[in-house]
Amino acid sequence: MRPISSIVFAFLAAALLLNHCKAAAEWVTCSGIVPMRYRNDKISITDFGGVGDGRTLNTKAFREAIYRIEHLRRRGGTLLYIPPGVYLTESFNLTSHMTLYLARGAVIKATTDTRYWPLIAPLPSYGRGRELPGGRYMSFIHGNGLHDVIITGENGTIDGQGEIWWNMWRRRTLQFTRPNLIEFMNSRGIIVSNVIFKNSPFWNIHPVYCSNVVINYVTILAPADSPNTDGIDPDSSTHVCIEDSYISTGDDLVAVKSGWDEYGIAYGRPSHGITIRRVTGSSPFAGIAIGSETSGGIEDVLAEHINLYNMGVGIHLKTNVGRGGVIRNITVSNVYMQNARKGIKIAGDVGDHPDTNYNPNALPVVKDVTIKDVWGEGVLQSGQIQGLKNSPFTGICLSNINLQGNVGPRNPPWKCSDVSGAAVRVSPWPCSELTSTYQAGSCSNSF
Ligand SMILES: *[C@@H]1O[C@H](CO)[C@@H](O)[C@H](O)[C@H]1NC(C)=O
Ligand SMILES: *[C@@H]1O[C@H](CO)[C@@H](O)[C@H](O)[C@H]1NC(C)=O
Ligand SMILES: *[C@@H]1O[C@H](CO)[C@@H](O)[C@H](O)[C@H]1NC(C)=O
């Protein structure tokens, strides 16, 4: 190489390198779907008689503060400040154009007196409470028909004191379905960020019939043996962005849902446009789950950069006969898992039914599922993909997957039936139902 060309070459190489670094430094995020808003009007819970001594009941203070926000309607909305301290309260409703701001050291704590907990109507896509017939207890913090709501701060805590509810479940003394910690219904333009959620009675964060929801930089904690304490359950909702969070609970970390059986089919409200990115956690159930309530359909889900430790199932797509609904265009990539009973499970026989009136001919459809770039250690069984005889799962595409730690020859690493698709660079080698080359049409939008 002559000196001049080698200088040009070095320059080009440097430029390429620089470009590459720039690309790597760009932080991919979906959080732009709801712009962060800063409020000029600020009030404090203490202005309404709030006392953060951990004993005084602050229900009246919360309800009055929010009533004030709702009725004064200050331009640009109002921020409700919760200073350091422990604020015991009954459940309360939020309103539009507000920020609930928890200072560092602020704790909003649910009362353990469950006798007067308000009951609300069942969700139409469920037809009854999720765990028991009839109505359901209102979530601890609730929002219905709202827009422009932010829950944030300096990592203050929302504590559901769920143990009392878990014990009622264990002793079978519950009368109605347990409350979620936070539920937004029919709402849009929601941000939940920089908050710690602790000991939810039931699911932690439940956006249902919502659009444009951002949940990021949250920490969600509940004991591994706490029943049904799902982390985040986007349900019949669209454009939901879940990022940069740590979740360690007793049930699925993130589970995308859309109602169940005849109620979910009749309501017909899908979940789509769901992004789950940079989530870390631990659970005896699933890391990233789709279902098992999938009757409105679930489409266009992307989950990437997921780190899982001590799991039941790493990635779990689950539905059931009687559910109907189409699960389509699901991509899960860049997953690291350490210690799991099962790496990947896709199954059509999971979950219970609301009642006996479901239509056994309403078969779910599962197609175009891409799972790629997965590394696992201590994974006892690599995978199980079992479709339905009369509705086989199609376009199931696995690539660049390495799941180590399978035990013994009597425990086959993969179990498959009624499934088609492809597998490339998958170890241990999956079942023969998945071909090693892509057929025209299958895996078209993958890799
Ligand atoms: C809170 O919202 C629920 C559901 O929208 C409603 O039934 C209930 O009456 C509201 N409670 C209060 C105190 O406003
Ligand atoms: C809150 O906690 C999260 C997760 O640990 C962290 O990423 C974030 O920076 C914290 N936020 C604040 C305001 O301290
Ligand atoms: C699949 O979903 C992704 C989002 O995860 C979306 O960008 C893409 O357009 C969808 N593809 C099809 C064919 O609908």
Side-chain angles (χ1 to χ4, degrees):
M1 227 185 251
R2 280 178 313 187
I4 183 72
S5 59
S6 68
I7 287 165
V8 168
F9 178 79
F11 178 78
L12 275 176
L16 268 174
L17 195 68
L18 209 71
N19 238 326
H20 181 79
C21 292
K22 212 174 113 199
E26 265 166 34
W27 193 243
V28 180
T29 179
C30 49
S31 59
I33 59 170
V34 186
M36 188 47 112
R37 280 172 178 275
Y38 298 90
R39 320 272 189 202
N40 289 321
D41 187 41
K42 296 184 174 68
I43 57 178
S44 168
I45 195 67
T46 55
D47 303 339
F48 298 83
V51 180
D53 63 0
R55 297 203 319 266
T56 307
L57 202 57
N58 290 286
T59 312
K60 203 163 156 277
F62 277 103
R63 290 187 182 162
E64 280 178 5
I66 290 161
Y67 184 90
R68 141 78 166 72
I69 297 171
E70 188 176 355
H71 291 88
L72 280 190
R73 304 179 57 153
R74 286 287 151 82
R75 177 185 290 278
T78 298
L79 179 145
L80 173 58
Y81 180 77
I82 313 300
V86 179
Y87 298 84
L88 191 68
T89 175
E90 296 173 295
S91 65
F92 59 90
N93 287 333
L94 301 173
T95 188
S96 294
H97 306 298
M98 73 169 284
T99 297
L100 179 64
Y101 189 99
L102 289 87
R104 192 171 302 282
V107 181
I108 303 179
K109 207 169 200 175
T111 174
T112 52
D113 186 350
T114 59
R115 284 172 300 171
Y116 309 111
W117 203 289
L119 273 174
I120 59 173
L123 294 166
S125 55
Y126 285 79
R128 45 161 270 187
R130 177 61 185 82
E131 55 182 346
L132 287 166
R136 55 200 192 108
Y137 293 109
M138 187 174 101
S139 62
F140 177 46
I141 299 181
H142 192 78
N144 190 359
L146 307 186
H147 57 279
D148 179 25
V149 178
I150 301 171
I151 302 178
T152 189
E154 303 155 10
N155 283 331
T157 301
I158 295 175
D159 181 351
Q161 302 220 75
E163 178 123 38
I164 189 151
W165 297 97
W166 309 332
N167 287 334
M168 284 194 274
W169 178 83
R170 288 173 182 134
R171 295 181 191 131
R172 299 170 187 272
T173 56
L174 271 170
Q175 293 201 319
F176 298 100
T177 297
R178 284 170 284 160
N180 300 302
L181 195 51
I182 304 239
E183 181 173 75
F184 284 103
M185 295 171 57
N186 307 301
S187 298
R188 65 190 155 83
I190 307 294
I191 301 177
V192 179
S193 73
N194 295 284
V195 176
I196 299 168
F197 296 89
K198 214 170 107 177
N199 296 337
S200 175
F202 194 62
W203 300 344
N204 274 271
I205 305 180
H206 185 218
V208 57
Y209 320 138
C210 288
S211 67
N212 294 72
V213 177
V214 173
I215 299 166
N216 59 6
Y217 300 104
V218 298
T219 303
I220 304 179
L221 306 171
D225 67 353
S226 58
N228 309 99
T229 49
D230 290 20
I232 305 172
D233 289 359
D235 196 348
S236 294
S237 290
T238 60
H239 306 296
V240 178
C241 169
I242 299 165
E243 287 181 335
D244 301 298
S245 291
Y246 178 82
I247 309 174
S248 176
T249 64
D251 211 321
D252 299 343
L253 303 182
V254 177
V256 184
K257 302 179 183 292
S258 63
W260 62 348
D261 293 6
E262 66 272 27
Y263 305 104
I265 293 169
Y267 200 64
R269 189 82 163 256
S271 276
H272 65 82
I274 314 285
T275 306
I276 305 157
R277 183 182 284 127
R278 296 182 298 268
V279 168
T280 297
S282 175
S283 157
F285 287 89
I288 300 301
I290 306 286
S292 66
E293 305 87 338
T294 57
S295 298
I298 296 179
E299 294 186 21
D300 306 344
V301 176
L302 171 65
E304 60 181 10
H305 302 288
I306 309 296
N307 291 295
L308 304 171
Y309 300 87
N310 303 323
M311 295 301 306
V313 184
I315 302 160
H316 196 179
L317 277 67
K318 42 185 172 170
T319 179
N320 207 338
V321 165
R323 286 281 194 273
V326 178
I327 300 175
R328 176 167 54 200
N329 188 22
I330 312 292
T331 302
V332 183
S333 77
N334 285 284
V335 178
Y336 173 76
M337 57 180 97
Q338 195 178 74
N339 301 333
R341 273 189 291 108
K342 226 181 270 278
I344 297 165
K345 181 173 176 183
I346 309 179
D349 64 347
V350 180
D352 44 347
H353 299 284
D355 49 44
T356 53
N357 299 329
Y358 67 90
N359 174 5
N361 298 318
L363 298 180
V365 171
V366 177
K367 59 181 182 183
D368 303 333
V369 176
T370 298
I371 300 176
K372 61 183 179 183
D373 305 321
V374 178
W375 186 274
E377 288 166 36
V379 179
L380 298 186
Q381 191 192 16
S382 303
Q384 178 183 345
I385 308 180
Q386 292 183 295
L388 297 164
K389 216 162 226 84
N390 295 321
S391 182
F393 298 167
T394 59
I396 309 296
C397 301
L398 311 180
S399 89
N400 194 29
I401 294 176
N402 192 319
L403 295 167
Q404 298 167 3
N406 295 268
V407 284
R410 281 193 302 147
N411 221 351
W414 289 87
K415 235 164 123 182
C416 306
S417 55
D418 303 301
V419 54
S420 67
V424 197
R425 282 177 288 129
V426 176
S427 167
W429 187 247
C431 21
S432 53
E433 283 85 350
L434 302 175
T435 61
S436 57
T437 51
Y438 310 134
Q439 327 232 258
S442 78
C443 302
S444 50
N445 58 348
S446 341
F447 319 134

